[in-house]
Amino acid sequence: MKKTIFFLIFCMCFVSFFALELTIFHTNDHHGSLFSYWYEIYEVAGLAERVSLIRQLTESHENVLLLDAGDFNTGVYESNLFRAEPDIIAYNLIGYDALTLGNHEFYGGLERIRQQIEWADFPMLSANIFTLEGELVGLPYTTFTMQNGLLVAVFGLTTTHKQLHNDFVVKNDIEIALELVPRLREKADIVIALTHLGIYDLGVDELYGSIRLAYNVPGIDLIIDGDSHTVLEEPAYVNGIPIVQAGERGKYVGKAELSFDVMTGKVSLSNWETIPLMREFNDPPFEVDNEVFEAIEVFKQRAIEMGNDLLGHSERYFRDIGVRNRITALGRVVSEAMLNATIEYGAEVAMTNSGSIRSNLRAGEVRISDIHNILPFDNDLVVVEIPGTVLLDIITVSFLEKVDTGAFLQYSNNVGIIQRPPNLVIPNLRGIEIEPDRIYRVVTNSFLADGGDGYSQFEYALDTINTGITVREALIHYIQTNEFFRATEVTE
């Protein structure tokens, strides 16, 4: 009898400490980074290299999910030109299990995103983005039954804080999650929020992004996030819920190890880390997966043929580094191109968000493909009439609230800024202070004119003209006609 009792106690103790493990590898904000590229002193793995590195990481694990937190669209020329088809083909070959739709997936309209969902062998998730007819664009969630018997539910949410294409209706992410999570908890052992909401400074935007989700929605075991391009050193715990994110453009892959206690049903994050997918110059070269390489190389060769037209020549290297925290020479060039293209509309000043500028303008030959890399978004030039008070407010907000984000603004050459810390900003136009009562004609991109990046001030425009000219077209024409870019004769 005593032996039986001791045996039962032993079994209960053993079971109480018995846990089922789940390993998740995750990426976010790929932004069309098909091929390896150099970032500072590091070479970052492209998709053909990423698959080899991820397979090395996963080969020692049995219960593994590979997830992506969105924004695979909008990046290098080859990706933009083919509507991210090569990226999705590579994701299929790599073996991604699910992806949440980011805001950049929606900028191309409903037809593009439906095509991309059709190309994908994995589910694309978003529980809060609907068509105008009230249908979900992606799946709200998906479930996985792991080899060890764990049932895992993964649901997707897309940011509500960025203006999307007018084909879509964005519903409140918190309200959707509050309804969805209890339903998933009833059927799943582990509930994961795969979100494209962003991790933002608690002191500034406490109720924004994934932090807001964790504060308001209990029952989530892990939030895997994207949008803010954040590289975390350790998980951010909010309301007991761990939030993780792994940078952007393929520089890192996140690795999360979850443990499920079979007796209590408790889920804990036992380990999380970001693993660099980068190498220094003297490190051994990346191993390349031939199947993925061949699949995307086809698109590269087609893109070379289509984008090799020579536009001009630059004797200067215009860098995009620092474009999100200061006015740069590259930001000036783009803005000047916008202003030059809308002189006939009476535009007096140009401004664009730094987040729309995504690559350098290198010294030497400038080709159409370079312009697509610099300006990957299909934004039109919009001329607005706004009072000086509104213009002053936009510039002031940019300098005081938007530094270090893609919402920080770049301006045409005629705009000067005097900033006296901590909070005095004095803009001028050709050396003359902006007059609060005067009406100004400002050219910006359609994303900002629609209130993107939080610039609701454009609602006060007295008149709005969409010129139908894209920002990219304006920059192409500027380079073709501006004397600076003709300093060296252009020849084929």
Side-chain angles (χ1 to χ4, degrees):
M1 181 69 178
K2 288 183 179 179
K3 289 183 179 180
T4 303
I5 293 173
F6 280 124
F7 177 74
L8 290 173
I9 292 172
F10 170 78
C11 289
M12 291 176 65
C13 292
F14 175 78
V15 172
S16 67
F17 285 104
F18 181 65
L20 301 177
E21 306 297 328
L22 173 69
T23 303
I24 301 171
F25 291 93
H26 61 94
T27 54
N28 58 276
D29 296 277
H30 162 72
H31 286 300
S33 301
L34 287 167
F35 310 104
S36 62
Y37 64 95
W38 286 92
Y39 169 73
E40 296 178 347
I41 63 171
Y42 302 101
E43 183 185 14
V44 181
L47 288 181
E49 295 83 12
R50 186 191 300 183
V51 60
S52 295
L53 293 167
I54 288 178
R55 283 174 182 164
Q56 291 172 23
L57 293 170
T58 59
E59 62 185 7
S60 61
H61 301 274
E62 291 185 353
N63 297 280
V64 177
L65 291 176
L66 177 58
L67 306 175
D68 189 277
D71 269 8
F72 61 87
N73 275 289
T74 312
V76 300
Y77 170 61
E78 293 87 351
S79 177
N80 297 340
L81 188 62
F82 299 107
R83 295 181 156 199
E85 183 181 3
D87 308 79
I88 295 172
I89 288 173
Y91 269 42
N92 289 339
L93 294 172
I94 291 171
Y96 274 87
D97 293 296
L99 173 146
T100 280
L101 296 167
N103 52 295
H104 285 268
E105 276 65 270
F106 294 93
Y107 292 154
L110 184 59
E111 184 274 332
R112 185 188 75 172
I113 202 168
R114 280 181 170 167
Q115 179 67 78
Q116 292 176 335
I117 289 171
E118 185 177 325
W119 285 330
D121 293 339
F122 48 87
M124 292 190 177
L125 310 176
S126 183
N128 65 312
I129 309 294
F130 294 77
T131 67
L132 299 179
E133 292 73 32
E135 297 178 357
L136 276 165
V137 176
L139 293 175
Y141 67 91
T142 189
T143 59
F144 302 94
T145 301
M146 311 307 296
Q147 291 182 11
N148 59 7
L150 275 176
L151 182 60
V152 182
V154 180
F155 72 97
L157 292 172
T158 306
T159 178
T160 60
H161 292 272
K162 294 185 178 179
Q163 188 79 19
L164 304 186
H165 192 283
N166 56 14
D167 281 352
F168 307 105
V169 175
V170 183
K171 294 192 177 181
N172 186 284
D173 53 328
I174 301 301
E175 293 177 3
I176 295 290
L178 284 170
E179 179 183 344
L180 186 57
V181 170
R183 288 164 41 203
L184 297 179
R185 279 257 70 99
E186 292 178 359
K187 65 173 69 176
D189 301 310
I190 297 176
V191 175
I192 296 169
L194 184 62
T195 65
H196 194 84
L197 302 175
I199 297 173
Y200 296 94
D201 193 308
L202 276 169
V204 178
D205 292 303
E206 185 173 328
L207 297 180
Y208 183 29
S210 56
I211 291 172
R212 176 171 170 261
L213 177 68
Y215 266 130
N216 287 279
V217 184
I220 301 171
D221 296 311
L222 174 66
I223 298 175
I224 298 174
D225 198 23
D227 184 57
S228 57
H229 300 187
T230 307
V231 183
L232 292 174
E233 295 183 0
E234 57 186 26
Y237 280 87
V238 177
N239 205 23
I241 299 173
I243 305 172
V244 298
Q245 192 178 140
E248 44 94 27
R249 296 190 65 206
K251 294 172 186 169
Y252 302 89
V253 60
K255 178 184 179 183
E257 295 177 292
L258 292 172
S259 180
F260 174 79
D261 190 306
V262 296
M263 288 295 291
T264 66
K266 182 180 179 180
V267 179
S268 58
L269 180 64
S270 54
N271 181 60
W272 180 79
E273 59 183 316
T274 50
I275 301 169
L277 302 182
M278 297 181 280
R279 73 174 191 95
E280 294 188 35
F281 181 77
N282 293 322
D283 291 341
F286 292 122
E287 182 179 337
V288 175
D289 181 87
N290 288 330
E291 187 178 17
V292 174
F293 174 80
E294 290 173 4
I296 61 179
E297 185 69 13
V298 171
F299 291 94
K300 185 175 185 178
Q301 295 307 315
R302 287 169 59 191
I304 288 172
E305 295 172 6
M306 299 169 68
N308 209 32
D309 290 347
L310 192 60
L311 302 176
H313 188 283
S314 176
E315 293 187 341
R316 177 177 177 181
Y317 197 125
F318 294 88
R319 299 182 182 275
D320 67 338
I321 295 174
V323 74
R324 296 187 176 213
N325 53 49
R326 59 186 174 84
I327 299 173
T328 66
L330 180 57
R332 293 286 197 190
V333 167
V334 173
S335 301
E336 276 295 298
M338 295 167 63
L339 186 61
N340 183 73
T342 52
I343 293 297
E344 64 180 286
Y345 292 91
E348 305 169 80
V349 57
M351 60 175 62
T352 190
N353 56 315
S354 297
S356 68
I357 300 172
R358 293 300 177 106
S359 185
N360 305 310
L361 177 58
R362 294 168 294 183
E365 294 178 342
V366 182
R367 298 183 181 272
I368 287 180
S369 55
D370 297 315
I371 306 306
H372 279 260
N373 290 336
I374 295 166
L375 299 171
F377 306 114
D378 296 323
N379 286 317
D380 290 337
L381 296 179
V382 177
V383 177
V384 296
E385 284 190 354
I386 53 176
T389 50
V390 175
L391 180 57
L392 285 166
D393 187 49
I394 290 170
I395 296 174
T396 301
V397 166
S398 172
F399 269 86
L400 297 184
E401 300 179 15
K402 307 292 188 179
V403 177
D404 292 326
T405 76
F408 184 76
L409 298 178
Q410 301 289 320
Y411 307 92
S412 48
N413 288 334
N414 56 0
V415 176
I417 310 288
I418 298 173
Q419 186 175 11
R420 296 197 176 109
N423 56 7
L424 182 61
V425 177
I426 307 173
N428 67 76
L429 190 60
R430 301 184 192 89
I432 301 173
E433 289 189 16
I434 293 172
E435 303 172 35
D437 297 330
R438 192 192 144 191
I439 303 300
Y440 291 86
R441 284 205 161 197
V442 177
V443 59
T444 188
N445 63 56
S446 49
F447 171 72
L448 287 179
D450 288 338
D453 275 343
Y455 286 103
S456 59
Q457 295 93 332
F458 287 104
E459 294 177 2
Y460 298 99
L462 305 176
D463 189 27
T464 301
I465 303 171
N466 189 320
T467 67
I469 305 166
T470 68
V471 182
R472 197 181 297 126
E473 288 169 340
L475 183 56
I476 287 172
H477 183 262
Y478 186 74
I479 288 174
Q480 287 177 319
T481 58
N482 188 276
E483 191 62 30
F484 177 84
F485 295 102
R486 310 292 294 186
T488 299
E489 183 179 357
V490 178
T491 58
E492 289 288 354

